[in-house]
Amino acid sequence: MDQKKEKSKSVLNKVYNILFFGLLIFFIFSTDAKSWVMRQMISVGLFKPDIQKEGINKQEITAAFSFRDESGNILSTKDLKGKVIFINFWATWCPPCRAEMPSLNEMYNKLKDDDRYVFLFINEDEDLTKATSYLQKNNFAMPVITRAGQIPPQVFSGTLPTTVVLNKEGKMVMKKEGLANYNNQDFLQQLEDLL
C-alpha cells in the first residue's frame, strides 16, 4: 500500500514539474505572456513615472529631432514649442512596450483633444505594417510615428520602451527607460502642471 502511495506521489511530482517548466518556457518565449505579467505589475503601481519640474539636470538638454507623422510629413520637435510633448519609443516585439500600451492608450484618449499636448509614439519596428496591425488588432488609437533622422542620444539611446516629456520650452523634464503606468492621477496632474 505504501509503495502504491509513493509511486502515485512520484508521478504527481513529475506532472507538477512538467507543468511548472512548461509554463516557465511559455513565459520565457511568449511575448504576449511576458507583457501580460508586466501589465499586472504595472496595475499594482510598481512602475510610476515622475516629471522633474526643473528639468533632468541643470543644463538644458536639446531634444530637437525630426519625425515622420502618419501622413508621411516630416516635422520637428522645434516646431512644437509652446506645447507639452509626450514621446514614447516602442516596438511590437518588446514585451515591456506591449505591457504599457493599454495605459498609454487610455492616457492618450483622455488628452488627445487638448491641443496643448502633442503625443509622439515613435515606432522602432523595421516593418511599419507590424506596428499598424498591432495597434488596430488591440483597438489602440495612438498614431504611428517614425523617426526621420538621428535622435540625440540624451533623448533616446536605444532602450525600449523609453518615454520622454518636454515642457513648453522644449526642455526635457522626464526620461524614463523601461515600462510605467502613465494613466494614473499623479502623472496626469504632473503633465497638467507643465501647462
Side-chain angles (χ1 to χ4, degrees), residues 7-48:
K7 191 173 184 180
S8 178
K9 234 184 203 182
S10 175
V11 169
L12 195 56
N13 282 339
K14 286 180 183 176
V15 168
Y16 285 142
N17 284 336
I18 290 169
L19 284 174
F20 174 76
F21 287 110
L23 281 172
L24 185 62
I25 289 169
F26 175 70
F27 279 108
I28 289 172
F29 292 106
S30 171
T31 303
D32 289 333
K34 283 188 265 189
S35 63
W36 180 85
V37 169
M38 291 176 193
R39 194 171 303 128
Q40 302 320 303
M41 292 190 301
I42 286 174
S43 70
V44 296
L46 287 179
F47 303 99
K48 291 186 177 180

Short mmCIF file of all heavy atoms in Angstrom, two decimals, residues 7-48:
data_model
loop_
_atom_site.label_atom_id
_atom_site.label_comp_id
_atom_site.label_asym_id
_atom_site.label_seq_id
_atom_site.Cartn_x
_atom_site.Cartn_y
_atom_site.Cartn_z
N LYS A 7 4.54 5.69 -5.26
CA LYS A 7 4.57 5.75 -6.73
C LYS A 7 3.61 6.83 -7.24
O LYS A 7 3.94 7.58 -8.15
CB LYS A 7 4.20 4.38 -7.31
CG LYS A 7 4.47 4.27 -8.78
CD LYS A 7 4.26 2.87 -9.28
CE LYS A 7 4.63 2.77 -10.73
NZ LYS A 7 4.45 1.44 -11.26
N SER A 8 2.44 6.92 -6.64
CA SER A 8 1.45 7.92 -7.02
C SER A 8 1.99 9.33 -6.76
O SER A 8 1.82 10.25 -7.57
CB SER A 8 0.16 7.68 -6.24
OG SER A 8 -0.79 8.65 -6.55
N LYS A 9 2.65 9.51 -5.60
CA LYS A 9 3.25 10.79 -5.26
C LYS A 9 4.35 11.16 -6.26
O LYS A 9 4.47 12.30 -6.67
CB LYS A 9 3.87 10.70 -3.86
CG LYS A 9 3.42 11.73 -2.92
CD LYS A 9 4.18 11.57 -1.61
CE LYS A 9 3.38 12.20 -0.51
NZ LYS A 9 4.08 12.11 0.76
N SER A 10 5.15 10.18 -6.64
CA SER A 10 6.24 10.40 -7.58
C SER A 10 5.70 10.83 -8.95
O SER A 10 6.23 11.75 -9.57
CB SER A 10 7.06 9.11 -7.71
OG SER A 10 8.04 9.25 -8.69
N VAL A 11 4.64 10.17 -9.39
CA VAL A 11 4.02 10.53 -10.68
C VAL A 11 3.45 11.94 -10.60
O VAL A 11 3.61 12.75 -11.53
CB VAL A 11 2.94 9.49 -11.07
CG1 VAL A 11 2.12 9.98 -12.24
CG2 VAL A 11 3.58 8.16 -11.40
N LEU A 12 2.78 12.25 -9.49
CA LEU A 12 2.19 13.58 -9.31
C LEU A 12 3.28 14.66 -9.30
O LEU A 12 3.11 15.72 -9.92
CB LEU A 12 1.39 13.61 -8.01
CG LEU A 12 0.43 14.77 -7.83
CD1 LEU A 12 -0.56 14.85 -8.98
CD2 LEU A 12 -0.31 14.64 -6.52
N ASN A 13 4.40 14.41 -8.65
CA ASN A 13 5.52 15.36 -8.63
C ASN A 13 6.07 15.58 -10.04
O ASN A 13 6.40 16.71 -10.41
CB ASN A 13 6.63 14.87 -7.70
CG ASN A 13 6.31 15.13 -6.24
OD1 ASN A 13 5.48 15.97 -5.94
ND2 ASN A 13 6.96 14.39 -5.36
N LYS A 14 6.16 14.53 -10.82
CA LYS A 14 6.65 14.65 -12.19
C LYS A 14 5.69 15.50 -13.03
O LYS A 14 6.12 16.34 -13.81
CB LYS A 14 6.83 13.27 -12.83
CG LYS A 14 8.05 12.54 -12.30
CD LYS A 14 8.20 11.18 -12.94
CE LYS A 14 9.39 10.45 -12.33
NZ LYS A 14 9.53 9.10 -12.83
N VAL A 15 4.40 15.28 -12.84
CA VAL A 15 3.39 16.05 -13.57
C VAL A 15 3.51 17.53 -13.20
O VAL A 15 3.49 18.42 -14.06
CB VAL A 15 1.97 15.52 -13.31
CG1 VAL A 15 0.91 16.48 -13.82
CG2 VAL A 15 1.80 14.15 -13.94
N TYR A 16 3.62 17.83 -11.89
CA TYR A 16 3.78 19.21 -11.45
C TYR A 16 5.06 19.84 -12.02
O TYR A 16 5.05 20.99 -12.45
CB TYR A 16 3.81 19.31 -9.92
CG TYR A 16 2.46 19.13 -9.27
CD1 TYR A 16 2.34 18.43 -8.08
CD2 TYR A 16 1.30 19.64 -9.84
CE1 TYR A 16 1.10 18.27 -7.47
CE2 TYR A 16 0.06 19.47 -9.24
CZ TYR A 16 -0.03 18.78 -8.05
OH TYR A 16 -1.24 18.63 -7.46
N ASN A 17 6.14 19.09 -12.03
CA ASN A 17 7.40 19.60 -12.60
C ASN A 17 7.26 19.90 -14.08
O ASN A 17 7.74 20.92 -14.57
CB ASN A 17 8.55 18.62 -12.36
CG ASN A 17 9.05 18.65 -10.94
OD1 ASN A 17 8.91 19.65 -10.25
ND2 ASN A 17 9.65 17.56 -10.50
N ILE A 18 6.61 19.01 -14.79
CA ILE A 18 6.41 19.21 -16.23
C ILE A 18 5.55 20.46 -16.46
O ILE A 18 5.86 21.29 -17.31
CB ILE A 18 5.78 17.96 -16.89
CG1 ILE A 18 6.81 16.83 -16.93
CG2 ILE A 18 5.27 18.27 -18.28
CD1 ILE A 18 6.25 15.47 -17.32
N LEU A 19 4.47 20.59 -15.69
CA LEU A 19 3.61 21.78 -15.82
C LEU A 19 4.38 23.06 -15.48
O LEU A 19 4.28 24.06 -16.20
CB LEU A 19 2.39 21.65 -14.90
CG LEU A 19 1.29 20.72 -15.38
CD1 LEU A 19 0.23 20.57 -14.31
CD2 LEU A 19 0.68 21.23 -16.67
N PHE A 20 5.14 23.02 -14.40
CA PHE A 20 5.91 24.20 -13.98
C PHE A 20 6.90 24.61 -15.07
O PHE A 20 6.95 25.77 -15.46
CB PHE A 20 6.65 23.92 -12.67
CG PHE A 20 7.57 25.03 -12.27
CD1 PHE A 20 7.07 26.21 -11.73
CD2 PHE A 20 8.95 24.93 -12.48
CE1 PHE A 20 7.92 27.25 -11.38
CE2 PHE A 20 9.80 25.96 -12.13
CZ PHE A 20 9.29 27.12 -11.58
N PHE A 21 7.69 23.66 -15.55
CA PHE A 21 8.68 24.00 -16.57
C PHE A 21 8.03 24.36 -17.90
O PHE A 21 8.54 25.19 -18.64
CB PHE A 21 9.72 22.88 -16.72
CG PHE A 21 10.67 22.83 -15.56
CD1 PHE A 21 10.63 21.80 -14.65
CD2 PHE A 21 11.59 23.85 -15.37
CE1 PHE A 21 11.50 21.77 -13.57
CE2 PHE A 21 12.47 23.84 -14.29
CZ PHE A 21 12.42 22.80 -13.39
N GLY A 22 6.90 23.76 -18.20
CA GLY A 22 6.15 24.11 -19.41
C GLY A 22 5.69 25.56 -19.34
O GLY A 22 5.83 26.32 -20.31
N LEU A 23 5.12 25.97 -18.20
CA LEU A 23 4.70 27.36 -18.03
C LEU A 23 5.89 28.31 -18.06
O LEU A 23 5.81 29.39 -18.64
CB LEU A 23 3.93 27.53 -16.72
CG LEU A 23 2.48 27.09 -16.73
CD1 LEU A 23 1.90 27.13 -15.33
CD2 LEU A 23 1.67 27.96 -17.67
N LEU A 24 6.97 27.91 -17.41
CA LEU A 24 8.17 28.73 -17.41
C LEU A 24 8.68 28.97 -18.84
O LEU A 24 8.97 30.11 -19.23
CB LEU A 24 9.26 28.07 -16.56
CG LEU A 24 10.54 28.86 -16.35
CD1 LEU A 24 10.25 30.16 -15.61
CD2 LEU A 24 11.54 28.02 -15.60
N ILE A 25 8.74 27.93 -19.63
CA ILE A 25 9.17 28.06 -21.02
C ILE A 25 8.20 28.93 -21.81
O ILE A 25 8.61 29.79 -22.60
CB ILE A 25 9.34 26.66 -21.67
CG1 ILE A 25 10.57 25.97 -21.07
CG2 ILE A 25 9.45 26.75 -23.18
CD1 ILE A 25 10.71 24.51 -21.41
N PHE A 26 6.91 28.75 -21.57
CA PHE A 26 5.89 29.56 -22.24
C PHE A 26 6.12 31.05 -21.94
O PHE A 26 6.11 31.89 -22.83
CB PHE A 26 4.49 29.12 -21.79
CG PHE A 26 3.39 29.97 -22.34
CD1 PHE A 26 3.06 29.93 -23.68
CD2 PHE A 26 2.68 30.81 -21.50
CE1 PHE A 26 2.04 30.71 -24.19
CE2 PHE A 26 1.65 31.60 -22.00
CZ PHE A 26 1.33 31.55 -23.34
N PHE A 27 6.34 31.39 -20.64
CA PHE A 27 6.54 32.78 -20.28
C PHE A 27 7.87 33.33 -20.79
O PHE A 27 7.99 34.51 -21.07
CB PHE A 27 6.45 32.97 -18.76
CG PHE A 27 5.03 33.04 -18.28
CD1 PHE A 27 4.48 31.99 -17.57
CD2 PHE A 27 4.24 34.14 -18.55
CE1 PHE A 27 3.16 32.04 -17.14
CE2 PHE A 27 2.93 34.21 -18.12
CZ PHE A 27 2.39 33.16 -17.42
N ILE A 28 8.86 32.48 -20.94
CA ILE A 28 10.15 32.95 -21.46
C ILE A 28 10.07 33.27 -22.94
O ILE A 28 10.61 34.27 -23.40
CB ILE A 28 11.26 31.88 -21.19
CG1 ILE A 28 11.57 31.85 -19.70
CG2 ILE A 28 12.51 32.19 -22.01
CD1 ILE A 28 12.51 30.72 -19.30
N PHE A 29 9.35 32.46 -23.70
CA PHE A 29 9.35 32.62 -25.15
C PHE A 29 8.13 33.33 -25.72
O PHE A 29 8.13 33.70 -26.88
CB PHE A 29 9.52 31.25 -25.83
CG PHE A 29 10.88 30.66 -25.61
CD1 PHE A 29 11.06 29.61 -24.73
CD2 PHE A 29 11.99 31.19 -26.24
CE1 PHE A 29 12.32 29.07 -24.51
CE2 PHE A 29 13.25 30.67 -26.02
CZ PHE A 29 13.42 29.61 -25.14
N SER A 30 7.10 33.55 -24.93
CA SER A 30 5.90 34.20 -25.44
C SER A 30 5.90 35.69 -25.09
O SER A 30 5.83 36.07 -23.92
CB SER A 30 4.65 33.54 -24.85
OG SER A 30 3.51 34.30 -25.17
N THR A 31 5.96 36.53 -26.11
CA THR A 31 5.94 37.98 -25.91
C THR A 31 4.65 38.40 -25.23
O THR A 31 4.65 39.22 -24.32
CB THR A 31 6.08 38.70 -27.27
OG1 THR A 31 7.28 38.26 -27.89
CG2 THR A 31 6.12 40.19 -27.09
N ASP A 32 3.52 37.81 -25.64
CA ASP A 32 2.23 38.16 -25.03
C ASP A 32 2.20 37.78 -23.56
O ASP A 32 1.68 38.53 -22.73
CB ASP A 32 1.08 37.48 -25.77
CG ASP A 32 0.84 38.08 -27.15
OD1 ASP A 32 1.16 39.27 -27.33
OD2 ASP A 32 0.33 37.37 -28.02
N ALA A 33 2.72 36.62 -23.22
CA ALA A 33 2.72 36.18 -21.81
C ALA A 33 3.59 37.10 -20.96
O ALA A 33 3.21 37.50 -19.86
CB ALA A 33 3.20 34.74 -21.71
N LYS A 34 4.77 37.45 -21.47
CA LYS A 34 5.66 38.35 -20.72
C LYS A 34 4.99 39.72 -20.53
O LYS A 34 5.04 40.28 -19.44
CB LYS A 34 6.99 38.52 -21.44
CG LYS A 34 7.91 37.33 -21.28
CD LYS A 34 9.28 37.62 -21.85
CE LYS A 34 9.33 37.12 -23.27
NZ LYS A 34 10.65 37.13 -23.86
N SER A 35 4.37 40.23 -21.58
CA SER A 35 3.74 41.54 -21.45
C SER A 35 2.54 41.49 -20.50
O SER A 35 2.28 42.44 -19.78
CB SER A 35 3.35 42.12 -22.81
OG SER A 35 2.39 41.34 -23.46
N TRP A 36 1.83 40.35 -20.46
CA TRP A 36 0.71 40.20 -19.52
C TRP A 36 1.21 40.27 -18.08
O TRP A 36 0.63 40.96 -17.24
CB TRP A 36 -0.03 38.88 -19.76
CG TRP A 36 -1.17 38.69 -18.83
CD1 TRP A 36 -2.44 39.17 -18.97
CD2 TRP A 36 -1.15 37.98 -17.58
NE1 TRP A 36 -3.21 38.81 -17.89
CE2 TRP A 36 -2.44 38.07 -17.02
CE3 TRP A 36 -0.17 37.28 -16.89
CZ2 TRP A 36 -2.77 37.50 -15.79
CZ3 TRP A 36 -0.49 36.71 -15.67
CH2 TRP A 36 -1.77 36.81 -15.14
N VAL A 37 2.30 39.56 -17.78
CA VAL A 37 2.86 39.57 -16.43
C VAL A 37 3.29 40.99 -16.06
O VAL A 37 3.00 41.49 -14.97
CB VAL A 37 4.05 38.59 -16.30
CG1 VAL A 37 4.80 38.80 -14.99
CG2 VAL A 37 3.57 37.15 -16.41
N MET A 38 3.95 41.67 -16.98
CA MET A 38 4.40 43.04 -16.72
C MET A 38 3.21 43.98 -16.53
O MET A 38 3.25 44.89 -15.70
CB MET A 38 5.30 43.53 -17.86
CG MET A 38 6.62 42.83 -17.90
SD MET A 38 7.55 43.38 -19.34
CE MET A 38 8.85 42.16 -19.36
N ARG A 39 2.15 43.78 -17.30
CA ARG A 39 0.95 44.61 -17.17
C ARG A 39 0.35 44.45 -15.77
O ARG A 39 -0.15 45.40 -15.19
CB ARG A 39 -0.07 44.21 -18.25
CG ARG A 39 -1.17 45.23 -18.40
CD ARG A 39 -2.05 44.95 -19.62
NE ARG A 39 -1.27 44.90 -20.83
CZ ARG A 39 -1.31 43.90 -21.72
NH1 ARG A 39 -2.10 42.89 -21.54
NH2 ARG A 39 -0.55 43.93 -22.79
N GLN A 40 0.41 43.23 -15.22
CA GLN A 40 -0.10 43.00 -13.87
C GLN A 40 0.74 43.77 -12.86
O GLN A 40 0.21 44.34 -11.90
CB GLN A 40 -0.12 41.50 -13.52
CG GLN A 40 -0.93 40.63 -14.46
CD GLN A 40 -2.24 41.25 -14.91
OE1 GLN A 40 -3.07 41.59 -14.09
NE2 GLN A 40 -2.42 41.39 -16.21
N MET A 41 2.05 43.82 -13.08
CA MET A 41 2.93 44.56 -12.17
C MET A 41 2.65 46.07 -12.27
O MET A 41 2.68 46.78 -11.27
CB MET A 41 4.39 44.26 -12.47
CG MET A 41 4.75 42.81 -12.13
SD MET A 41 6.50 42.41 -12.18
CE MET A 41 6.99 42.78 -13.85
N ILE A 42 2.36 46.56 -13.47
CA ILE A 42 2.02 47.96 -13.65
C ILE A 42 0.73 48.28 -12.91
O ILE A 42 0.61 49.30 -12.25
CB ILE A 42 1.84 48.30 -15.16
CG1 ILE A 42 3.18 48.36 -15.86
CG2 ILE A 42 1.12 49.62 -15.34
CD1 ILE A 42 3.06 48.55 -17.36
N SER A 43 -0.25 47.39 -13.01
CA SER A 43 -1.58 47.67 -12.44
C SER A 43 -1.55 47.79 -10.92
O SER A 43 -2.41 48.44 -10.34
CB SER A 43 -2.59 46.61 -12.87
OG SER A 43 -2.30 45.38 -12.24
N VAL A 44 -0.57 47.19 -10.26
CA VAL A 44 -0.49 47.32 -8.80
C VAL A 44 0.39 48.51 -8.39
O VAL A 44 0.64 48.71 -7.20
CB VAL A 44 -0.01 46.02 -8.12
CG1 VAL A 44 -0.99 44.91 -8.33
CG2 VAL A 44 1.38 45.62 -8.57
N GLY A 45 0.86 49.28 -9.35
CA GLY A 45 1.59 50.51 -9.04
C GLY A 45 3.08 50.36 -8.85
O GLY A 45 3.71 51.22 -8.24
N LEU A 46 3.69 49.31 -9.39
CA LEU A 46 5.13 49.12 -9.20
C LEU A 46 5.97 50.08 -10.04
O LEU A 46 7.08 50.41 -9.67
CB LEU A 46 5.52 47.68 -9.54
CG LEU A 46 5.11 46.63 -8.53
CD1 LEU A 46 5.54 45.25 -9.00
CD2 LEU A 46 5.71 46.92 -7.16
N PHE A 47 5.46 50.52 -11.18
CA PHE A 47 6.26 51.35 -12.08
C PHE A 47 5.56 52.68 -12.29
O PHE A 47 4.60 52.78 -13.04
CB PHE A 47 6.44 50.64 -13.43
CG PHE A 47 7.08 49.29 -13.30
CD1 PHE A 47 6.32 48.14 -13.30
CD2 PHE A 47 8.45 49.17 -13.16
CE1 PHE A 47 6.90 46.89 -13.17
CE2 PHE A 47 9.05 47.94 -13.03
CZ PHE A 47 8.27 46.78 -13.04
N LYS A 48 6.09 53.72 -11.64
CA LYS A 48 5.47 55.05 -11.75
C LYS A 48 6.47 56.04 -12.32
O LYS A 48 7.61 56.12 -11.85
CB LYS A 48 5.01 55.54 -10.37
CG LYS A 48 3.85 54.75 -9.81
CD LYS A 48 3.38 55.38 -8.53
CE LYS A 48 2.17 54.62 -8.00
NZ LYS A 48 1.69 55.19 -6.77
#
